[in-house]
Amino acid sequence: MSSRTADLRTRLQSPWAAMFAICFTQAVVLLDTTAVNVAVPSLGTGLNASVDQVLWMINAYLLSYAVLLVTGGRLGDLYGPRRVFMIGLVVFVAASAACGLAQTPGQAITARVVQGIGGALQTPQAMAMITRIFPADRRGTALGVWGSFAGIVAAAGPTLGGFLVSWFGWRGIFYLNIPVGVVGSVLTMALVPKLESSVKQRLDVLGSVVLTLAMLGVVYALQEGESHNWGTLWGPVSVPMLAAAGVALVGVFLLVERGRQNRDPLVPFVILRERNFTVMSIVVAALPCGLGGMLLLTPLYLQQVRDFSAFQAGLLIAVAPLVSIFIAPYSGRLCDRLGGKWVMFAGLLLFAAGIGLLAALIRPDSQWYALLPGLFFLGLGMGVAYAPAGVVAFEKIEPAMSGAASGLFNTTRLCGSLLGSASVGAVLQTRLQHGTVTDAVRFTYLLPLAVLLAGALGTLLARNRPSDAPPQTGPDTAPERETSGAAKS
């Protein structure tokens, strides 16, 4: 009996048990990011909200989420990623309950802002914890599994969201987060080791404020640009002016950080000097742009041209994440053997092939099965491409800076999603004024196709480092679980 107990304890303390807890728990944020979009009509009806109010129920979350990702990541470096991960989870779940209980559009929008704050605290910690829990020789596989899981769950969000809305109403999307969050918190506390910072540092408040204002300007301009025809927002302030102010503040932020590199900067520049991290942080923006374009254009065609319901459209689109489930486990292993550069390159090309096939196969009278080849290749691309981006980016990042790096990495990915959505929406709107829905969808697909191909070319700038070198060692490589008698650092 004692040997079985010891064996069980060993398994529960393994890095893969911690990985399971992290992935399960983070699913609440990943699903919520895409699942809520399918509830737009139900939200408007259920809360008697205007179109603008319903859109802000989506945009308010993304806005608070995007502007705080870097700060959330750095807080994990300073105070321990598991602690900040748990705080973010509690905030997110509490805000989800408030969303489900909302009786007015204002209450829902406020709760969504708080949800975004919780998500921004939680999201960067996942990659940071995985980087520190796994030894170097298994880190590629681990980051590959996590990256693939994140992509699959995000892609499956609309299908699950359609199911929940159809059977439980729009409130079901938010109520689902409560039991998942409770179980996830138990798993995290039981299976994920404490990863306290060994160096006492302070949060860069000035840098955090400047970066938050900069991101607020850029993200708000991207979100609201299309609805204001890229013109005036209010008074003399236009969308381009706000975006330009945000970009200018990014420059101010870099100047502030340059003077703080020797005293607890928000973004240590050593991260940006790592070539592979910088390259992959830009290239990874192509993935949500391609995925977001597909999730916007394909359901639009299916529902408006082929008369599919939202749930039927979601089921067909689910072919892509379903295919990627069977491919993703092998992607991280290939990264460990061959290096992530060429795996990422191949994944982006497969992703682009799927988008290109969808554009070519969509016709006014196309049957649903005509889209299967495009969705199949898109699923292959998702399964291959989502893993290596993080593997290549983080292979030389010091674990003590993994939170800040993860915040930056996720910020550029989210900006890619927002920029892609805004661009796809603008092109689609313009084409709809001069042709049919089918023609507009087919033409607009060329934009995410071009972005994915550009991302594939950008991948060639990274250095390929097959993970066959001797594994790195260090105190953060494979941390021991803290015992009751251990002193906290």
Side-chain angles (χ1 to χ4, degrees):
M1 184 64 180
S2 59
S3 62
R4 291 182 179 180
T5 302
D7 182 61
L8 177 61
R9 182 176 301 172
T10 301
R11 292 185 180 184
L12 291 178
Q13 292 179 349
S14 74
W16 289 109
M19 166 73 83
F20 171 77
I22 292 169
C23 288
F24 180 89
T25 307
Q26 202 189 10
V28 295
V29 175
L30 296 172
L31 284 171
D32 208 77
T33 304
T34 55
V36 176
N37 292 341
V38 301
V40 166
S42 299
L43 281 167
T45 303
L47 291 174
N48 194 25
S50 66
V51 174
D52 188 58
Q53 288 173 323
V54 172
L55 290 177
W56 265 108
M57 291 176 203
I58 296 174
N59 291 341
Y61 169 82
L62 292 174
L63 190 61
S64 60
Y65 180 70
V67 302
L68 293 173
L69 273 171
V70 176
T71 301
R74 193 56 173 157
L75 285 171
D77 289 336
L78 300 181
Y79 303 108
R82 191 183 78 165
R83 179 181 298 160
V84 179
F85 185 82
M86 288 296 301
I87 293 172
L89 177 63
V90 171
V91 172
F92 188 89
V93 171
S96 296
C99 284
L101 294 170
Q103 300 300 314
T104 67
Q107 292 175 357
I109 292 170
T110 301
R112 290 286 284 167
V113 170
V114 179
Q115 253 194 325
I117 295 172
L121 290 174
Q122 187 196 34
T123 298
Q125 317 312 328
M127 188 176 288
M129 288 189 290
I130 292 168
T131 301
R132 294 174 64 175
I133 289 171
F134 282 86
D137 59 333
R138 288 189 290 168
R139 199 171 292 152
T141 300
L143 285 172
V145 169
W146 176 83
S148 300
F149 168 83
I152 291 167
V153 171
T159 303
L160 179 60
F163 172 79
L164 290 172
V165 171
S166 298
W167 288 93
F168 304 103
W170 65 267
R171 298 180 190 273
I173 291 179
F174 300 111
Y175 287 146
L176 177 66
N177 294 336
I178 299 173
V180 175
V182 171
V183 174
S185 65
V186 174
L187 290 174
T188 300
M189 294 300 294
L191 302 179
V192 179
K194 290 184 178 180
L195 300 163
E196 304 293 344
S197 174
S198 58
V199 180
K200 296 300 180 182
Q201 303 179 61
R202 294 176 297 175
L203 179 64
D204 177 6
V205 177
L206 178 60
S208 298
V209 172
V210 174
L211 183 61
T212 297
L213 293 174
M215 292 301 300
L216 189 63
V218 173
V219 174
Y220 189 89
L222 290 175
Q223 286 183 328
E224 293 295 299
E226 185 181 348
S227 62
H228 288 80
N229 200 26
W230 302 99
T232 301
L233 280 171
W234 55 81
V237 180
S238 66
V239 174
M241 287 174 58
L242 185 61
V247 173
L249 280 173
V250 171
V252 173
F253 168 74
L254 293 175
L255 290 176
V256 170
E257 292 302 285
R258 181 180 179 183
R260 293 187 58 91
Q261 289 303 298
N262 294 325
R263 47 195 181 102
D264 305 334
L266 182 67
V267 177
F269 282 0
V270 67
I271 297 173
L272 300 178
R273 295 190 191 103
E274 173 52 41
R275 176 174 171 177
N276 278 9
F277 177 82
T278 302
V279 169
M280 282 297 127
S281 293
I282 297 172
V283 168
V284 76
L287 292 174
C289 181
L291 179 61
M294 186 275 290
L295 291 177
L296 172 66
L297 297 173
T298 307
L300 178 69
Y301 163 78
L302 291 172
Q303 292 179 70
Q304 294 201 9
V305 179
R306 303 305 303 159
D307 294 325
F308 276 46
S309 68
F311 183 54
Q312 289 173 326
L315 282 178
L316 181 57
I317 291 170
V319 169
L322 183 63
V323 170
S324 66
I325 288 174
F326 295 98
I327 303 300
Y330 302 99
S331 182
R333 299 176 190 175
L334 285 175
C335 291
D336 283 339
R337 293 180 182 179
L338 306 176
K341 171 181 176 178
W342 296 113
V343 179
M344 183 72 176
F345 181 75
L348 286 170
L349 289 183
L350 288 169
F351 210 136
I355 295 289
L357 281 171
L358 286 174
L361 295 172
I362 282 179
R363 294 286 188 274
D365 57 349
S366 295
Q367 298 298 319
W368 64 269
Y369 47 79
L371 277 62
L372 290 178
L375 292 171
F376 176 78
F377 273 91
L378 201 146
L380 287 178
M382 287 172 54
V384 174
Y386 269 98
V391 175
V392 177
F394 281 79
E395 58 191 354
K396 294 297 181 180
I397 297 297
E398 291 293 331
M401 299 179 184
S402 56
S406 179
L408 279 173
F409 189 78
N410 282 285
T411 297
T412 58
R413 179 160 53 186
L414 184 59
C415 285
S417 176
L418 292 170
L419 183 59
S421 297
S423 302
V424 167
V427 173
L428 178 65
Q429 190 176 42
T430 301
R431 296 299 298 184
L432 285 172
Q433 297 173 359
H434 301 91
T436 65
V437 172
T438 301
D439 290 338
V441 167
R442 294 185 66 197
F443 181 86
T444 307
Y445 262 129
L446 298 179
L447 178 59
L449 175 62
V451 171
L452 288 166
L453 291 175
L457 292 176
T459 302
L460 299 179
L461 297 175
R463 296 188 179 94
N464 199 43
R465 294 168 178 155
S467 299
D468 55 2
Q472 300 175 358
T473 58
D476 283 311
T477 300
E480 294 295 329
R481 189 172 302 272
E482 185 181 40
T483 62
S484 59
K488 294 182 180 179
S489 56

